[in-house]
Amino acid sequence: MVYDVIVIGAGPAGLTAGIYARSKMMSTLVLESGTVGGQLVALYPEKGIHNYPGFETVQARKLSDKLYAQAESMECDIRENQKVVDIVDGDQKIIVKTQDSEYEGMSVIVAIGMGEFTPRKLGAPGENELEGKGIDYILPVKEDLVGKKVVMFGGGNSAIEMALIADQVTDTTIVHRRPEFRADEMNVKNLNESNIRKIMNANVKSFNGTDHLESITIEQDGKEMTIEADLAVINIGITANLEILKKWGLELTENGLIKVGIDMSTNRHGVFACGDVVDYPGKYKQIITGCGEAATACLMAYKFVKKPYWA
Ligand SMILES: Cc1cc2nc3c(=O)[nH]c(=O)nc-3n(C[C@H](O)[C@H](O)[C@H](O)COP(=O)(O)OP(=O)(O)OC[C@H]3O[C@@H](n4cnc5c(N)ncnc54)[C@H](O)[C@@H]3O)c2cc1C
């Protein structure tokens, strides 16, 4: 089968592309290297999203579930564990290669976000040994936090928001290496009004424990202290890997992201892009912007494939 459009990536941008493509009655395949949901599920499933229109607050996992359900209800063919490794021009079609299959499409929308990303590590002694044994990089569900001493590392919006979630159910501390947070005023205000203990200007010397995390040794202003901890959540950013874009022959900006026109076209005929993976002056990496770009990318793919006389 030759699909009208093949969408690569099933984060919010890719799922929205799928929804819009189906609303144009295009046969649509969505290929996802891991599981559906993108960063919302992989990095911050428990976090509340307060800036997605139509929801005063929605948990990231729930927003992703809703996008997934909508795409499925519109009969998008969504396939998980299909990492795209190449995009090759065929005879009047485009061949999308995954690790174990090949698919044919008339157009392609690239929505791979940050590609294959991994959470950044602190690099402190004991971190690798205790990973999964009291050291985590995403916040577990609230029920699993009850009764635990939680220590959050990081000073950005995400670390503060996750600390605030943990604080709703358990004893929570936040540790930041700088004297001030790098986060929205509202988050800092909420933090200051909470019961969360703040340890600023501090670095981790070691994570301690044998079978499980028991304590953390921290250096603050030249002095060492050891605090008890059952769970350390490290939230200091992620390392993205978008090397694959070069292989796909896509023109990149100096930021290593796909250069797109205002119509979300790339330098390749029939290949459009949207979401965190694209770059243009004023680009803002948010769910709403990625979804908006997906709608544009879809319309352009529709025009490219169907060539309606009126568009
Ligand atoms: C901690 C944190 C908190 C955030 N909070 C907010 C917030 O409150 N509000 C907001 O609007 N934004 C927020 N963001 C930003 C938002 O998550 C991103 O802008 C959004 O996820 C981008 O969506 P996307 O679909 O472009 O990419 P992603 O969500 O990264 O999804 C891309 C998908 O493509 C898949 N993929 C990658 N490579 C391949 C491949 N080769 N083949 C097939 N599939 C592939 C990935 O597995 C992934 O599922 C936050 C980000 C972070 C890190």
Side-chain angles (χ1 to χ4, degrees):
M1 162 169 191
V2 181
Y3 290 90
D4 288 329
V5 61
I6 298 179
V7 179
I8 307 175
L15 290 170
T16 304
I19 291 164
Y20 268 79
R22 286 300 301 142
S23 71
K24 291 275 182 198
M25 296 297 287
M26 294 168 89
S27 54
T28 307
L29 174 67
V30 181
L31 298 172
E32 164 58 48
S33 58
T35 50
V36 167
Q39 296 166 48
L40 284 71
V41 172
L43 291 176
Y44 56 97
E46 289 297 301
K47 189 174 95 78
I49 294 172
H50 312 287
N51 55 9
Y52 193 80
F55 298 92
E56 285 159 18
T57 298
V58 58
Q59 197 189 19
R61 186 193 301 279
K62 287 205 176 119
L63 179 59
S64 169
D65 286 349
K66 281 189 172 290
L67 289 166
Y68 189 9
Q70 190 175 1
E72 279 212 308
S73 74
M74 295 182 78
E75 296 175 1
C76 276
D77 184 350
I78 302 174
R79 303 196 192 173
E80 296 185 320
N81 301 315
Q82 287 291 307
K83 179 180 170 184
V84 172
V85 292
D86 213 351
I87 306 172
V88 182
D89 286 332
D91 184 17
Q92 305 209 342
K93 59 193 172 197
I94 301 169
I95 299 155
V96 175
K97 297 185 178 181
T98 65
Q99 277 161 329
D100 48 26
S101 301
E102 283 190 11
Y103 302 94
E104 293 178 344
M106 298 302 293
S107 65
V108 166
I109 296 178
V110 179
I112 63 168
M114 296 184 296
E116 289 189 307
F117 51 82
T118 44
R120 208 169 279 155
K121 295 194 167 199
L122 279 166
E127 184 176 357
N128 287 339
E129 294 77 0
L130 292 168
E131 185 176 338
K133 300 175 190 164
I135 296 185
D136 221 323
Y137 295 86
I138 59 172
L139 188 71
V141 292
K142 267 196 227 169
E143 296 72 44
D144 290 350
L145 302 176
V146 178
K148 290 186 177 158
K149 287 188 168 49
V150 174
V151 182
M152 179 71 59
F153 288 89
N157 284 315
S158 171
I160 293 180
E161 286 175 28
M162 290 187 203
L164 287 165
I165 293 170
D167 183 51
Q168 291 168 13
V169 291
T170 200
D171 176 314
T172 307
T173 302
I174 188 163
V175 179
H176 184 35
R177 67 192 167 113
R178 298 193 189 281
E180 282 175 17
F181 290 105
R182 211 184 85 179
D184 294 344
E185 286 83 352
M186 181 58 80
N187 278 330
V188 177
K189 179 175 176 284
N190 290 338
L191 179 70
N192 287 335
E193 289 171 359
S194 74
N195 293 320
I196 298 170
R197 178 183 177 201
K198 298 188 286 276
I199 304 179
M200 309 298 288
N201 243 342
N203 287 304
V204 183
K205 297 298 285 181
S206 62
F207 291 102
N208 317 313
T210 40
D211 294 341
H212 201 274
L213 178 70
E214 289 164 12
S215 65
I216 307 169
T217 304
I218 291 167
E219 183 185 52
Q220 187 187 36
D221 301 327
K223 288 187 198 132
E224 276 192 17
M225 63 173 135
T226 297
I227 57 171
E228 282 181 30
D230 303 301
L231 176 67
V233 182
I234 298 162
N235 206 306
I236 55 167
I238 41 182
T239 307
N241 183 356
L242 285 166
E243 277 299 304
I244 206 158
L245 295 176
K246 290 184 194 151
K247 185 180 174 198
W248 294 353
L250 292 164
E251 188 183 347
L252 308 182
T253 67
E254 59 190 17
N255 297 323
L257 298 166
I258 302 173
K259 185 173 180 183
V260 285
I262 50 171
D263 59 358
M264 298 299 132
S265 59
T266 70
N267 61 311
R268 283 190 63 174
H269 203 53
V271 179
F272 305 87
C274 55
D276 277 12
V277 75
V278 304
D279 201 10
Y280 52 83
K283 167 68 187 172
Y284 189 23
K285 289 185 183 176
Q286 289 281 280
I287 300 165
I288 181 78
T289 48
C291 294
E293 292 155 6
T296 303
C298 252
L299 182 66
M300 299 319 293
Y302 173 73
K303 285 185 182 178
F304 178 81
V305 174
K306 303 284 184 187
K307 300 183 178 54
Y309 75 92
W310 44 264

